[in-house]
Amino acid sequence: MNDKLSQNICEFLNKIGDYIHMEYKPKYYKEYTRDKNLSVLFDFVGSYYMGGNNVPDTARYVVEYIDRFIFSK
């Protein structure tokens, strides 16, 4: 992955975090910003970025992912 693509994914990741902070419960934002979850979510969000998805839809997918795989532990 080149630097420009990595930077764009990071910016998209930040926008997703902002959207989750505004629209969802605080527990989702806390899990989203945890260091151990960010490495996994970087690849997850990056795949949606590369697929051309928008911020609200990707945020919903991230919240569903957090519910299914992080809170179920």
Side-chain angles (χ1 to χ4, degrees):
M1 179 180 321
N2 65 24
D3 291 337
K4 182 70 171 171
L5 178 60
S6 179
Q7 181 181 3
N8 288 345
I9 292 174
C10 286
E11 289 174 10
F12 190 66
L13 198 69
N14 290 335
K15 290 177 185 177
I16 298 297
D18 292 342
Y19 190 85
I20 289 173
H21 189 320
M22 289 187 315
E23 295 294 327
Y24 293 95
K25 294 179 182 176
K27 68 179 184 175
Y28 293 110
Y29 183 72
K30 287 178 186 174
E31 286 300 319
Y32 183 79
T33 57
R34 280 197 153 146
D35 286 338
K36 69 177 186 169
N37 295 335
L38 277 178
S39 61
V40 172
L41 291 174
F42 182 84
D43 292 336
F44 185 77
V45 170
S47 67
Y48 283 101
Y49 174 79
M50 296 294 290
N53 283 340
N54 59 22
V55 171
D57 289 342
T58 305
R60 179 174 51 94
Y61 298 138
V62 168
V63 167
E64 289 173 0
Y65 180 87
I66 290 171
D67 268 341
R68 182 171 294 146
F69 295 108
I70 295 175
F71 285 150
S72 65
K73 290 182 181 179

